[in-house]
Each structure stands twice: as structure tokens, then as C-alpha cells.
Amino acid sequence: MDLSFSKEDEKFRREVRAWLRRHLPRRNDALEGGEDLSYDSPERISAAKAWQRTVHDAGYVAIGWPKEFGGQEASIERQSILNEEMVLHRAPGLIGHLGLRMLGPTLIQCGTEAQRRRFLPKILTADELWCQGYSEPGSGSDLASLKTRAELDGDSFVVNGQKVWTSTAQYADWMFCLVRTDPEAPKHRGISYLLIDMKSPGIEVRPLVQMTGRAGFNEVFFTDVRVPRENLVGELHGGWTVANSTLAFERNMLASTTRTQQLMDDLLGLARRRTRNGSKVTRCPATRQKLADLVIRVEAMRYHSLQQLSDEIQGRRGGVSASINKLVTTELNHDICAAALDILGDYGPLMGRTPHAEDRGTWPKDWMFTLGMIIGGGTSQIQKNIISERALGLPRGA
Amino acid sequence: MHFGLTADQELLAASARDFLAAESPPATVRRIVEDDAGVSPELNAKIAQQGWQGMLVPEEYGGQGLGVLDAAVVLTELGRFLTPTPFLSSAVLATTLLSIAASAAQRRRWLPRLASGEMLATVAWLEESDRLDPAGIALRVRRARDRFRLSGSKLFVLDAQMADLYLLAARTAAGQGRDGVSLFAIPRDATGISLTPLHNFDRTRRLFEMRFDDVVVDRDQLVGREGKAWPHLERMLNVACVAIAAESQGGAERALELAVEYAKVREQFGRPIGSFQAVKHLAAECFAEIEPSRSLLWYAAWAQQGASKEASRAASMAKARLGDVYSRTTNKSVQIHGGIGFTWEHDVHFWFKRAKSNEVLFGGPDFHRERVAALSGW
């Protein structure tokens, strides 16, 4: 065991910190939103794009990418240090994260040279924002059953169908999308991965209002939308493999467990300053038990992330760690928010700028948002299926 | 940056697992469990030959001078196999206490024999009050010139039936606080000691009531400074937490393996029960708790390099978490086994009972969560 980073990496950490102290936006409502980073106004979007450009100018966007595509080929240690410092300093998230974390790595691995040259630079600068077209009304957990159809017609695909729960589609410039190109083949083998210009004729985006009251995700309808054949990523009918290669890029979870730690710190701050039933919240034995239990679960995930980071540095494979992280961290985040609401009592449901709302109403909003995160990106139940089949070798159901 | 075991520690884990699979299979455990005394001298001798009894003994006293994380690696395997052997009581707890509290002369006298396994020791701490704070140590010692006379009783003493030396926490001054707690090393043949076995449901671990009826103790049997033993006990408590958490980690892993193996072969409705999501999700929930627990355990073991607040906090976190996780895992494991899991004939109940006994030993999850809260300054 050695939990220290090298001198050079610690120097890098100090540089990041120094940069953040100089460049971190002052408290800025356009960039804040608690857990729910929805960009629901043009001001929020342009402020968020400006922030990503600032970070990019400093060389801190996608530092793990190859140099030829605008990255620095930074080590896993440095990527992790950068992410950790960004979260610890409560830096706003990067608005282009879907392009940076999902599509960019996919194009680097599976894209054509032309696709990389065309799309990667604008992902880095947030000049083009991306959304992910995966789920459909009839295809949620069973994603591979998706029905949105794409037929080749000369040099282009013609796309018809519907996507749903599409976060950020209302302002995204492009969508990476899974479509069915061979309805006769077994379901995993008839899917292709397309890049679709959201300004194409025949696309309609209808915002869906989430339980938080915000329009975070959308329905997207395609009617005879023409997509040039060169926007196919990977092989025709090979989209499932392409999509799965992207999931592997989601492994480094240190940043998200750092976020959970931060949420926990916020909860402890709340507990320290609130009173309940006439005495300090931290004096209540039942609350002390609950808080300690949460702290212990958060710490366990923190060390588990460090272990995963260490394994990754040594080239050990992650196994189902991404599923464990997703399952445990999202439920933990929600439990932390629920504990905050318990502490707040009648103040708990007060949202936004209502008089008497605590922490500007972030707790009730995050309480709802974190429940959504338990469902999004593969529900807890799907993660349990994955863990039981891939890690424990239990048979697939009928 | 390296979070995990060293190559040596991984080798130790693998060889311990192979050794115990051969020497401590369920049939052997069952034989010891059903034995009145609950002791296998042959198995203890083989374990001593592995050098494990001397792992934590400094090299100058004939041990290996290894750390708590190394011991945790072995304890994880002992917990996996439920091996009934006095490793925790003697090689970990008594050895730790003597190493940090005893005089050089006392260490020379006892540690080499503990390291070789020629002698076993155990710690007698708790009393009827079942309190782990200084007030829990009330057994009063009277001074008689240059000797001490002890009367009273201790409860929940591990492996007392085979220990040659008892490390007894007692009170040499009035009061209930930290000051006045002293430690005495008493040989098993001292006049006035009697043992009563306590019939706990976990027969892989034997507990005793010890009565001291005017036992006379010489001054050279006082371990450490008179009245100043509490910090040593607290540090040993931290090591105990990590050690039991390590056993629980191994036990939980094995209890889940047993359930998964069974779910793959047991068929109902024409297919393996492990293909039903109701069963799969129970198993996945266990796995998703067990994996992060291991990281917490390793961190807590690594943090025991001295007597720091963080050592205490980490130890209590691991103890609380593994207490809950082991108990939940064995509960689900029995349920996945169904009716057969409730029989004496099947082995899984041994893990179920051990989980609860580990959970309460040296403080249950509530006690340790409260300790985490207090150490965090809330």
C-alpha cells in the first residue's frame, strides 16, 4: 500500500489547483445547479460553453486523449488528479461531457480518419455539443430491441423512428445514435451507429419535463431524416460492438466518488448547523448512527475507487467494477439527499428561491435528481443482472 | 500510488488459502465444532509450523515482524474457512498487547514462545457490564505490599481453555476513568482461577467466564505502568476491529460462493434457481457490498501503523461495515439455500452464526458507528 502520488504528479496537482484558483468562475447562477446540471436557458448554455473553452485553453480538457487528436496522453494518475481537483474545487461540469466521455473515445477507437478530423476538435472546444440517441419508448433496459429504422438509399441512410430520455437534445448540435439497419438479423447484429446532425430536416425535439420541474431530457422524432453514409461509425450492422466499446471508457470513477464525498461533506455541514426538535441535529443518536453509516459507505467507495485506479495503472482489468460503482454510488447519493431531507423536516420540500429554503433548495432537487440517476444509464436492477451474470457466473434468465 | 496487496502479501494469501483448504476443510471444522473442548492440537501445531503465530512478533523476539495488513490477509483466509484456532486471541490480540505494553524483560520472556506457538495467550477484558469503555474494567486489585491480589470475574474471554497466559485488564485505583486501568499477565496455573465455558451458538469460537478468587500476582507480572494501560487496550481494540473485519471479509466471500454454487445446480420450475432474478439480485447485492468492503478493510489495516485518531476511525469503520455486510450476506446465503440451509447437516449455518458472533465481538456496528461519529468531532 502506498497512497501517495509521485512528486511530478503532485506538482501537476499544485498546478491544477493554482489554475483553478485563478480561473474558477465566481459564484455564478448560470453555471450552478447542484447535481442536476441541466442547461435550460441560452445564458446557461453560453456560460457553460465559455467555461469549457477556458478549461480547454489551459489544456485540461480530455488530457488522456492521444496528442494527435488534441489530448496530452496523460497518465491515468494525472487524469484522476485533474478530475478530483475539479470536483473538490466545485468547478462547473463540462457541458460537452457526452462528446468528451462517450463519442470522442469511440471515434478514436472505431471512427474513420475523416470522422476524427471532422468532429474531435469541436468536441474539445464545445463548439459542437452532442447528445446520445439510445433509449426508445419500447427499448429501455432491453436496449438491443430498439426499432428506429435506418435504410440505405444511395449515399445516405433514411432514418425513421423515435428516441426518448434524450438528455440535452434540445440544444445539442449532433447526436450519436443507435439505429436498426437489418431487421432480419438477431437483435444485436442488426444495429448501426450513426452520427446525426440535429439540424437535419425531419427531426423534431419535444422536451419532457422531469419530476424536478426542469426539462432535462427529450423525445426526439425522426421522419425521413437523411444521414450521409460517411456518418456511419464502425461496420454496417456493427453498431452494438461500437456502443459497447464506449462503455469501457466509463471506468475511471474516482471523480464520481469524489462527488459523492462532497455531497456527504455538504450533508455533514447541514447537520452541524441545523437544530431539530430543540437540539442540535448532531446530538441526536439516531441521526449520528445514520450519518456514520453513510460516511462509512462513502469511505468504502472512496477506497474502492482508489483500488480500481491502482488496478488500472497496473493494467488489471476492471471486471464488473463499473456496474458496482454505478449501483452503489447512485443509491448512496440518493440516500445522502434523503438524509438531508430528514434533517430538514418541514424545510425539506422548500425549493429554489422560496423564503426559508436551505442551501438554495438544492437538497430537494438533488433528492429527485439522484433518484433519476438510479434509473438512468442502466437501472440498479440491470446492474445487478450484469454483476450476477458476469462476476458470479449465474445463468441468464429465460 | 499503489492501493492493494504487495506481491508478497498476494503470495501469502494464496498459500494460506491452499494450506487451509487442505488442513481445515468443512469436515475438520465440523469435528472441532462438535468436540467438547473445541480444540485441535494437531491443527494448531500445523498452523504454528506455518509461522503464523509469530507474524506480528518483532524479529528480535523470533517472529516475522510483519504488519496488521499481513495479519489481515491470513485472517481473511481463516475467516473464509472458519478455522477454529487461537490465531486471533494469541497471535494477534495478546501479541499486540505485549508488544506495545510489556517491558523488554517481559517481551523476552513471552514473545519468542508465543511466536513459535509453544505458548498461547489470551486477553481478559470485558466484565458483566459488557462495556468497551474504561468504566467496563471494574475488577478491583488490592495491593498487598509488593504484590497484588485480584478477585472478581471476566466474561467473553476467547480461547481461555487453551491459553497458557492470561492478559487481564483490572483496576488498580478507584474511579471509572482511563487512569487506574492496569494490565497483568497471569499464568494459567495460578491458584484461584476457574473457567466456565459459555455456550454461545458459534461453536467455531469458544468463550469463557473466568473467575479470579484472591489470585496473588507478583509485581513483575504487571504489564506496562500501573494505572496506565488504557491507551494500550484502545490500540489493541483497533487491531481487534481490523482482525475481526478481515475474518468477516473472508467469511462473507465464502458464504456468497456457497450460495452461488448452490444456485447454479439447484433446479426448480425446470431451471437453475440462479437464473431467477429474485435469486440473482440477492447474490449481486451481496457482491456489491463485499467488494468495496475489502478496500475499506485493507485501508483500515494499513492505517494501523501507530496510535492515531485515523487508525481508530478506520478500524471502527471497517468493523461496523463488515459486521453488517457479513451478517446480511450469510442471511441471504441461507435463504438462497432454502430448507437445506436450515439443517445442521449442511455447513452454511456455521457461517451464519459466525457472522453474528463476529458482528458483536469487540463492539457491534452501533457501537463503532457512534465511535466514528465521536472521532469525527460531531
Side-chain angles (χ1 to χ4, degrees):
Chain A
M1 290 279 257
D2 173 12
L3 300 192
S4 61
F5 287 93
S6 71
K7 276 197 181 115
E8 295 73 32
D9 287 341
E10 285 301 339
K11 181 165 168 276
F12 173 74
R13 186 191 294 278
R14 286 194 299 277
E15 286 164 10
V16 172
R17 282 186 183 168
W19 183 86
L20 280 167
R21 272 195 296 274
R22 268 179 284 127
H23 292 91
L24 209 54
R26 285 170 192 283
R27 218 191 97 189
N28 181 345
D29 281 349
L31 285 171
E32 286 186 7
E35 280 292 278
D36 176 7
L37 284 171
S38 64
Y39 305 100
D40 53 4
S41 72
E43 295 75 45
R44 287 174 83 92
I45 293 166
S46 64
K49 283 186 168 187
W51 168 242
Q52 181 168 329
R53 267 191 296 275
T54 306
V55 179
H56 180 251
D57 290 344
Y60 291 147
V61 169
I63 60 168
W65 287 12
K67 286 182 178 156
E68 57 172 319
F69 303 125
Q72 297 178 28
E73 292 167 22
S75 64
I76 295 159
E77 289 93 326
R78 292 209 176 177
Q79 295 176 50
S80 154
I81 287 170
L82 177 64
N83 287 337
E84 198 179 19
E85 290 303 321
M86 288 280 180
V87 173
L88 285 174
H89 285 82
R90 296 175 192 247
L94 297 181
I95 187 170
H97 74 279
L98 281 170
L100 292 167
R101 295 190 61 135
M102 304 278 290
L103 180 66
T106 303
L107 289 182
I108 290 169
Q109 188 158 316
C110 310
T112 63
E113 201 48 37
Q115 288 167 343
R116 293 174 187 151
R117 300 270 164 241
R118 163 67 188 80
F119 294 113
L120 293 179
K122 293 185 174 186
I123 288 176
L124 292 170
T125 56
D127 282 325
E128 285 177 348
L129 298 177
W130 287 80
C131 61
Q132 179 193 46
Y134 280 16
S135 293
E136 296 181 8
S139 305
S141 294
D142 181 14
L143 181 61
S145 71
L146 59 92
K147 290 191 181 63
T148 294
R149 190 76 172 90
E151 285 171 282
L152 255 180
D153 176 32
D155 281 346
S156 53
F157 291 95
V158 179
V159 180
N160 281 286
Q162 183 194 345
K163 295 288 173 183
V164 75
W165 321 133
T166 316
S167 300
T168 75
Q170 70 273 42
Y171 57 81
D173 304 285
W174 285 83
M175 170 189 277
F176 53 97
C177 186
L178 293 177
V179 292
R180 184 153 307 279
T181 40
D182 184 356
E184 309 302 325
K187 64 179 181 181
H188 293 91
R189 296 200 203 126
I191 294 171
S192 297
Y193 193 108
L194 291 186
L195 308 179
I196 302 178
D197 186 342
M198 292 297 282
K199 289 180 287 295
S200 312
I203 294 184
E204 189 194 346
V205 177
R206 289 186 203 156
L208 286 168
V209 179
Q210 300 177 335
M211 70 154 79
T212 57
R214 284 188 174 193
F217 47 31
N218 304 271
E219 295 175 290
V220 182
F221 297 87
F222 302 88
T223 312
D224 293 330
V225 176
R226 295 196 80 86
V227 179
R229 182 168 183 153
E230 71 223 37
N231 288 3
L232 172 72
V233 180
E235 301 288 317
L236 184 66
H237 314 316
W240 190 254
T241 317
V242 177
N244 272 312
S245 72
T246 313
L247 296 177
F249 297 113
E250 285 293 305
R251 245 189 275 142
N252 186 350
M253 290 289 292
L254 193 57
S256 82
T257 55
T258 308
R259 179 71 196 103
T260 301
Q261 271 171 262
Q262 205 176 46
L263 202 58
M264 189 67 221
D265 287 346
D266 290 345
L267 174 65
L268 293 173
L270 179 74
R272 282 201 175 95
R273 64 178 186 268
R274 299 290 298 188
T275 58
R276 184 114 180 87
N277 299 319
S279 58
K280 291 181 63 138
V281 163
T282 48
R283 295 258 54 92
C284 165
T287 306
R288 290 167 73 81
Q289 285 288 319
K290 192 193 291 185
L291 291 175
D293 184 52
L294 288 168
V295 162
I296 292 167
R297 288 161 63 198
V298 171
E299 291 279 89
M301 280 315 284
R302 178 180 160 208
Y303 297 120
H304 195 51
S305 300
L306 281 174
Q307 191 186 333
Q308 287 168 30
L309 175 68
S310 175
D311 285 351
E312 212 178 324
I313 292 166
Q314 291 173 64
R316 294 195 193 190
R317 295 195 49 207
V320 294
S321 56
S323 288
I324 294 176
N325 290 338
K326 201 294 177 171
L327 173 68
V328 176
T329 306
T330 55
E331 300 204 347
L332 198 41
N333 288 345
H334 186 61
D335 289 351
I336 291 170
C337 294
L341 260 62
D342 288 348
I343 286 170
L344 286 165
D346 283 315
Y347 293 89
L350 299 181
M351 302 220 13
R353 285 174 178 72
T354 313
H356 307 293
E358 185 75 19
D359 286 334
R360 287 172 296 133
T362 51
W363 289 111
K365 189 160 59 62
D366 287 352
W367 171 71
M368 290 182 248
F369 182 75
T370 52
L371 179 59
M373 291 298 97
I374 289 174
I375 298 163
T379 63
S380 283
Q381 291 69 37
I382 288 294
Q383 305 307 329
K384 288 176 193 176
N385 283 351
I386 292 171
I387 291 166
S388 61
E389 286 161 19
R390 297 190 198 158
L392 302 176
L394 288 171
R396 295 177 75 92
Chain B
M1 163 70 199
H2 174 70
F3 190 105
L5 302 181
T6 62
D8 282 350
Q9 286 164 337
E10 285 188 353
L11 201 64
L12 176 63
S15 70
R17 196 178 298 192
D18 290 346
F19 169 79
L20 292 171
E23 300 297 340
S24 176
T28 303
V29 172
R30 192 172 274 272
R31 208 180 59 241
I32 302 170
V33 158
E34 291 173 354
D35 174 65
D36 279 346
V39 185
S40 168
E42 307 81 47
L43 179 60
N44 293 349
K46 283 179 184 165
I47 284 173
Q49 277 165 20
Q50 297 291 305
W52 292 354
Q53 294 298 118
M55 281 185 77
L56 294 179
V57 173
E59 282 173 296
E60 54 182 312
Y61 300 109
Q64 298 184 50
L66 295 174
V68 176
L69 183 53
D70 303 281
V73 164
V74 167
L75 284 153
T76 301
E77 300 311 318
L78 288 166
R80 184 185 314 279
F81 291 94
L82 299 181
T83 308
T85 196
F87 183 79
L88 174 69
S89 57
S90 187
V92 178
L93 302 184
T95 297
T96 296
L97 205 46
L98 285 175
S99 299
I100 57 182
S103 68
Q106 288 170 330
R107 277 182 266 172
R108 274 197 301 277
R109 186 169 159 200
W110 290 311
L111 288 180
R113 294 161 68 202
L114 288 174
S116 67
E118 168 196 347
M119 183 178 127
L120 297 171
T122 192
V123 178
W125 175 337
L126 288 174
E127 299 173 16
E128 211 171 64
S129 65
D130 194 22
R131 292 175 68 160
L132 277 167
D133 62 353
I137 296 164
L139 193 149
R140 196 71 174 87
V141 179
R142 315 255 161 228
R143 184 106 49 129
R145 298 190 189 183
D146 54 349
R147 299 176 136 193
F148 300 95
R149 308 182 84 99
L150 297 94
S151 285
S153 62
K154 288 281 169 182
L155 279 181
F156 314 116
V157 183
L158 290 169
D159 301 330
Q161 83 279 32
M162 47 184 139
D164 306 291
L165 187 72
Y166 303 116
L167 300 180
L168 173 82
R171 197 162 275 286
T172 44
Q176 292 204 313
R178 300 160 64 99
D179 278 347
V181 173
S182 301
L183 205 61
F184 296 91
I186 305 172
R188 77 174 286 131
D189 53 12
T191 310
I193 296 179
S194 58
L195 295 183
T196 310
L198 301 172
H199 192 92
N200 56 325
F201 55 60
D202 170 24
R203 306 306 286 154
T204 63
R205 173 114 80 206
R206 301 301 166 99
L207 300 172
F208 292 82
E209 176 175 13
M210 294 187 68
R211 297 192 61 79
F212 297 84
D213 185 14
D214 198 26
V215 175
V216 180
V217 173
D218 283 333
R219 191 150 186 99
D220 67 354
Q221 288 166 266
L222 175 71
V223 178
R225 287 167 57 206
E226 186 178 335
K228 301 292 178 194
W230 178 255
H232 304 314
L233 285 167
E234 207 169 21
R235 199 163 145 195
M236 189 207 76
L237 171 66
N238 291 340
V239 174
C241 287
V242 172
I244 297 162
E247 286 186 356
S248 299
Q249 178 69 31
E253 288 173 18
R254 186 65 191 137
L256 177 60
E257 283 166 16
L258 287 172
V260 168
E261 285 165 16
Y262 184 75
K264 286 177 185 171
V265 296
R266 167 72 176 170
E267 294 194 1
Q268 285 290 276
F269 304 100
R271 51 192 175 114
I273 59 168
S275 67
F276 294 110
Q277 290 193 342
V279 173
K280 287 163 91 162
H281 287 192
L282 286 181
E285 285 157 14
C286 293
F287 191 74
E289 288 194 334
I290 288 171
E291 291 299 297
S293 298
R294 188 184 305 112
S295 310
L296 181 63
L297 165 69
W298 286 353
Y299 170 74
W302 176 76
Q304 303 304 313
Q305 289 166 345
S308 68
K309 206 179 193 184
E310 182 56 13
S312 300
R313 204 178 79 100
S316 278
M317 291 198 300
K319 179 68 171 70
R321 187 65 185 157
L322 262 311
D324 285 340
V325 168
Y326 193 13
S327 284
R328 261 200 298 274
T329 302
T330 53
N331 174 313
K332 289 174 181 170
S333 179
V334 170
Q335 291 195 52
I336 290 172
H337 280 86
I340 193 76
F342 191 66
T343 63
W344 185 266
E345 177 197 350
H346 196 281
D347 296 324
V348 70
H349 67 95
F350 293 126
W351 278 272
F352 174 71
K353 293 166 185 170
R354 177 67 168 262
K356 186 49 95 174
S357 97
N358 274 13
E359 185 189 314
V360 300
L361 194 62
F362 286 100
D366 287 4
F367 173 85
H368 286 287
R369 279 192 290 265
E370 176 52 39
R371 192 166 178 243
V372 168
L375 288 165
S376 304
W378 312 340

